[in-house]
Amino acid sequence: MNSQPEAAYQCDVSDRVYRSMSQRVRVILSQGYSALLDRVFDLPDRRRHAERLARDLGLPFNGYWLHAPMDVRLAIS
């Protein structure tokens, strides 16, 4: 069941969320801490950007992209 209003999933809102998360993660990583990005990352550009955040700071990156067929995702919701 979705607990967010429909407006929370509009592209501009989603872009702001990813941008805010990226800014926070950059600060966290630059201070020597590890970070876990727990988001959908459904678009290839967003996955590449997540990797670039670490690489730009000379840090290793481990991305785990989970995939499931649509029928499995629908059965869970």
Side-chain angles (χ1 to χ4, degrees):
M1 176 171 274
N2 185 353
S3 62
Q4 295 293 322
E6 186 75 24
Y9 295 95
Q10 293 178 358
C11 290
D12 63 323
V13 174
S14 186
D15 288 344
R16 284 196 311 262
V17 170
Y18 280 94
R19 195 169 31 256
S20 174
M21 180 183 62
S22 294
Q23 292 167 347
R24 290 174 182 214
V25 165
R26 187 173 297 279
V27 169
I28 291 166
L29 293 175
S30 68
Q31 293 177 351
Y33 295 98
S34 296
L36 174 70
L37 304 175
D38 185 9
R39 297 287 304 173
V40 172
F41 291 99
D42 53 339
L43 303 174
D45 284 345
R46 288 190 174 146
R47 292 190 291 272
R48 284 190 293 272
H49 180 74
E51 183 173 0
R52 238 182 352 263
L53 282 171
R55 301 280 189 231
D56 286 352
L57 295 169
L59 300 170
F61 175 83
N62 293 305
Y64 299 94
W65 315 118
L66 307 177
H67 301 273
M70 183 59 74
D71 60 326
V72 171
R73 290 183 279 165
L74 291 173
I76 293 171
S77 60

